Amino acid sequence: MWLKKVVNYFTGEDESFEKKGKVKFFNRKRGYGFIEPENMDRDVFVHVTSLEDKISKGDEVAFEVEASDKGLEARRVRLI
């Protein structure tokens, strides 16, 4: 895993660099939602365990993107 991060760093394909976007949907009861990132075509899944701040629909956020088995997932999500 660390080797992938090193290679991605030098090739510019690192998905962990900070991104910005807007919360498209977030369900507090179920603990998940989606973020519409700037400069990306696909929405990113976000789980309540990845939140640093309380978020709501329409909030501007900064986050890191990580690939998971089910697609892209936001990590370290915080309000900006």
Side-chain angles (χ1 to χ4, degrees):
M1 183 169 175
W2 66 270
L3 181 59
K4 181 180 177 184
K5 288 184 178 186
V6 171
V7 170
N8 287 342
Y9 176 78
F10 288 107
T11 61
E13 298 174 7
D14 190 0
E15 289 293 329
S16 68
F17 288 135
E18 188 171 89
K19 310 265 188 221
K20 293 181 181 179
K22 184 180 279 191
V23 178
K24 187 173 185 177
F25 160 82
F26 191 76
N27 185 319
R28 277 195 180 58
K29 286 185 181 181
R30 293 189 175 202
Y32 75 93
F34 292 91
I35 297 172
E36 187 175 13
E38 296 175 353
N39 305 322
M40 288 179 66
D41 295 335
R42 300 183 336 196
D43 291 343
V44 178
F45 176 81
V46 60
H47 191 265
V48 69
T49 58
S50 296
L51 300 179
E52 293 183 1
D53 296 315
K54 189 175 180 180
I55 63 170
S56 298
K57 181 179 178 178
D59 286 344
E60 296 285 332
V61 293
F63 58 97
E64 294 178 3
V65 177
E66 187 175 289
S68 70
D69 294 341
K70 297 182 180 181
L72 298 178
E73 191 168 332
R75 300 281 185 205
R76 300 185 58 210
V77 180
R78 66 185 187 289
L79 295 172
I80 53 174

